[in-house]
């Protein structure tokens, strides 16, 4: 069987609207497409609803869906994925949250959030506060808490103990001038009693840590210097560490992931891809794109499937900067030349994990454009890679959950529906087949 390597490029939040400052084009339409157009000349395009039409995806859910995971049975929250991406080793069953040190002002019996980043407290100072909390608030009842300091105001919280369920809400109100929220049981929780227990200990922990932080020497010093004290830990994205079936088990493809942002590294790790570290890859506009493409080029010789993630498109969208976004796409196009000699021999998909319109500054439920190319594929006559052209492309309108089926078919690994070479119901020809022993 021929082995066609596959490269999946995700430009985070790629889809967008058109803007006057880009001559009524979208950032993608206004970008240079020198290399993209070469790919397009032997490809096709279409639109994808990462989850479903009208549903704004979060990046982690969109990625898992696109990689062929079932969000109703195989998604256990964002906290552990992000923690894994930060290099934190979690054990099965441990609960994790993403957290930020913030600033609150007490008004009556409420704690009003006035800054969600505690004046962008530096990493070293966050580390000092983390140490204090790990000493003085290590246990609530019999449950153990561990805070891990990340960069600047960022942290992760890990909770260990029996009979807990991650199905709880955030204490982070995701806004300022509103109170810190009570952690509650999610209405759809499958294990309500266990979730209630976690919600209770999280609320106790929040109050206790607020008291500890308020009195912390470091915060006294910050206040004297006219800086905001880091006197609250705002958490979100509760999740539990569960082992997912690996990408190889699911699709029969040996896969590698290349990303700068912690969440995307976490996604790659969570699905058992080999994570390829690239120096200077940071999920920001000044990321090492060259290094990432060079790593992808090497990986295409050793793996069946390579996932390459670039975050800056989404960064510019959240900032409301369509010109910056378009310029970053041009930069991306320029660096595609690094793999140009592979264009004809590999299968390739360039898409986004969701639309993030710069005029909204938030993820929307609109579809994203998808460009595919492969040695053997039905091509279309669309002109440039674009949200508008994608709507008349021959790929039509697909869902995120269709992507891996299309990928396997593009690289000629599929078996006809109903063929059973293996006890497991799979849509691809497995690389290991059980031979009949004849002696
Ligand atoms: Zn995203
Ligand atoms: Zn985003």
């Amino acid at each position: 069987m021929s082995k066609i390597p596959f490269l999946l490029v995700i430009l985070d939040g790629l889809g967008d609207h058109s803007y006057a400052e880009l001559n009524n084009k979208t950032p993608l339409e206004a970008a240079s497409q020198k290399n993209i157009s070469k790919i397009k000349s032997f490809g096709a395009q279409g639109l994808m609803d990462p989850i479903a039409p009208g549903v704004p995806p979060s990046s982690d859910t969109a990625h898992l869906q696109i990689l062929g995971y079932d969000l109703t049975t195989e998604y256990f929250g964002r906290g552990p994925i992000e923690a894994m991406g930060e290099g934190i080793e979690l054990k099965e069953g441990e609960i994790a949250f993403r957290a930020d040190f913030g600033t609150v002002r007490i008004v009556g019996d409420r704690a009003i959030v006035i800054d969600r980043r505690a004046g962008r407290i530096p990493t070293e100072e966050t580390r000092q506060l983390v140490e204090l909390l790990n000493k003085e608030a290590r246990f609530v009842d019999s449950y153990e808490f561990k805070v891990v300091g990340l960069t600047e105001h960022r942290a992760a919280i890990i909770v260990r103990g029996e009979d807990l369920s991650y199905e709880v809400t955030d204490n982070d109100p995701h806004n300022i001038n509103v109170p810190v929220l009570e952690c509650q049981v999610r209405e759809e929780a499958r294990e309500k009693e266990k979730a209630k227990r976690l919600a209770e200990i999280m609320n106790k922990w929040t109050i206790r840590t607020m008291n500890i932080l308020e009195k912390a020497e470091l915060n006294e010093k910050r206040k004297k210097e006219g800086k905001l004290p880091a006197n609250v830990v705002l958490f979100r994205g509760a999740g539990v560490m569960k082992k997912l079936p690996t990408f190889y088990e699911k699709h029969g493809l040996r896969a590698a992931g290349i990303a700068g942002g912690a969440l995307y590294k976490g996604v790659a790790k969570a699905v058992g891809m080999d994570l390829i570290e690239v120096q200077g890859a940071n999920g920001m506009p000044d990321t090492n794109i060259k290094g990432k493409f060079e790593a992808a080029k090497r990986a295409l010789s050793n793996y069946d499937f390579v996932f390459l993630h670039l975050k800056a498109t989404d960064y510019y969208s959240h900032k409301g900067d369509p010109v910056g976004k378009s310029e970053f796409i041009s930069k991306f196009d320029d660096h595609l030349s690094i793999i140009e000699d592979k264009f004809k021999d590999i299968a390739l998909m360039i898409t986004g994990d969701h639309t993030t319109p710069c005029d909204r500054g938030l993820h929307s439920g609109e579809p994203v454009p998808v460009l595919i190319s492969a040695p053997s594929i039905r091509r279309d006559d669309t002109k440039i890679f674009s949200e508008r052209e994608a709507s008349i492309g021959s790929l039509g309108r697909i869902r995120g959950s269709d992507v891996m089926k299309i990928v396997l078919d593009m690289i000629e690994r599929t078996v006809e529906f109903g063929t059973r070479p293996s006890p497991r119901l799979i849509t691809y020809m497995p690389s290991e087949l059980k031979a009949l022993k004849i002696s």
Side-chain angles (χ1 to χ4, degrees), residues 165-168 185-193 195-196:
S165 163
Y166 72 96
E167 300 161 300
V168 300
V185 177
R186 295 183 197 166
E187 209 173 86
E188 76 284 5
R190 283 163 280 201
E191 297 184 292
K192 286 217 160 58
E193 275 308 304
K196 193 165 154 242

Side-chain angles (χ1 to χ4, degrees), residues 12 311 314 318 354 356 363:
D12 210 286
K311 178 68 181 169
D314 191 56
H318 285 290
H354 44 78
T356 316
H363 301 183

Side-chain angles (χ1 to χ4, degrees), residues 97-102 104 111-113 116 145 157 168-175 178-184 199 201-210 231-238:
F97 295 82
R98 251 290 272 123
D100 294 300
F101 279 83
V104 288
I112 308 296
V113 178
R116 292 179 65 236
F145 280 75
I157 307 169
V168 300
T169 58
D170 312 338
N171 78 353
D172 182 353
H174 299 265
N175 214 337
V178 285
V180 172
L181 303 177
E182 183 183 325
C183 179
Q184 302 172 75
I201 64 165
M202 291 314 292
N203 289 324
K204 281 189 194 174
W205 186 85
T206 300
I207 295 168
R208 198 148 116 207
T209 50
M210 272 170 57
N231 57 5
V232 72
V233 182
L234 299 169
F235 59 76
R236 57 193 152 93

Side-chain angles (χ1 to χ4, degrees), residues 20 27 40 60 83 85 94 106 155 162 230 289 292 310 319 364 394:
K40 226 205 63 53
D60 55 337
E94 284 182 342
I106 306 301
E162 298 289 302
I289 305 190
K292 284 169 122 174
L310 291 157
K319 256 182 69 182
S364 78
S394 65

Side-chain angles (χ1 to χ4, degrees), residues 43-59:
Q45 59 179 322
L47 287 173
M48 169 177 60
D49 295 291
I51 294 178
V55 177
S58 60
S59 287

